[in-house]
Amino acid sequence: MRAPASTEVLADAAHIEALDTAGAWCCKSCLLRLRDEGLTVTLQGLRPEFARLLDVVAQQVAEQANHPAAAASAAPTALARIGCGVEAALGQAMAMLGFIGENAAAFAGCVAHPARFRWRPILFNIRSAGFDALPIVGLLSFLLGVVVAYQGADQLRQYGANIFVVDLVGLSMLREFAP
């Protein structure tokens, strides 16, 4: 339903306390939609800083309207998909070679200058990430085993296979959760 062309709407913006670009965009899009409906909208009581922000957003909206979005290209052919896959694989291979090369260069530098090798921080990291982490890893493994045993026992009871709960917990912890 269209309003008569001479309909004027007065919008009171005096109670707006905060306005960011998202709010300004929503306000501007609402004003444009009302204008498209045939209404003349006048915004009054807007703070000067908010009016400047609304003007910047209006300019951006106008620029985007002048530059329509690019049309979607057609789906790539099978040959193009193969080419993209090969290009991605080669890029990954080059990145892996670069990584291996950097590691080899760093290792050669450590071998050439063993005095520059910092043993104290390395051993500290090994201790803190390895030995000091054993209690929490053990607790988490125990609790995870309890949960698996509880859920598995309920399911295995339906088939009369309660005896396999221990095997379920052992195999699931070693094969599935350990890596």
Side-chain angles (χ1 to χ4, degrees):
M1 180 173 127
R2 291 221 171 236
S6 64
T7 305
E8 289 192 25
V9 176
L10 186 63
D12 184 19
H15 297 290
I16 296 177
E17 295 178 5
L19 187 69
D20 61 352
T21 52
W25 180 82
C26 287
C27 184
K28 190 62 183 174
S29 64
C30 183
L31 292 173
L32 288 174
R33 194 172 324 125
L34 289 173
R35 189 189 71 195
D36 290 343
E37 290 292 325
L39 299 173
T40 305
V41 181
T42 306
L43 195 61
Q44 75 173 11
L46 191 63
R47 292 184 189 170
E49 62 269 14
F50 297 157
R52 285 193 303 271
L53 180 62
L54 201 62
D55 291 339
V56 169
V57 169
Q59 289 174 356
Q60 186 66 28
V61 168
E63 285 179 19
Q64 286 180 351
N66 291 338
H67 301 289
S73 61
T77 62
L79 187 61
R81 285 194 308 270
I82 291 171
C84 288
V86 169
E87 181 184 17
L90 286 176
Q92 289 291 321
M94 291 301 292
M96 181 62 86
L97 280 175
F99 177 71
I100 291 171
E102 289 289 330
N103 281 331
F107 181 72
C110 288
V111 169
H113 304 285
R116 291 187 355 200
F117 200 69
R118 300 179 343 185
W119 286 104
R120 195 174 194 96
I122 290 172
L123 293 176
F124 174 77
N125 285 335
I126 289 172
R127 190 192 78 201
S128 65
F131 184 71
D132 290 350
L134 287 178
I136 190 69
V137 170
L139 178 66
L140 287 173
S141 296
F142 172 74
L143 293 175
L144 192 61
V146 168
V147 169
V148 169
Y150 181 73
Q151 290 181 346
D154 188 40
Q155 293 297 319
L156 291 175
R157 185 178 313 119
Q158 295 174 4
Y159 302 106
N162 290 356
I163 196 167
F164 296 115
V165 171
V166 175
D167 294 331
L168 170 73
V169 172
L171 290 175
S172 65
M173 295 303 283
L174 287 176
R175 289 186 181 171
E176 300 298 327
F177 299 129

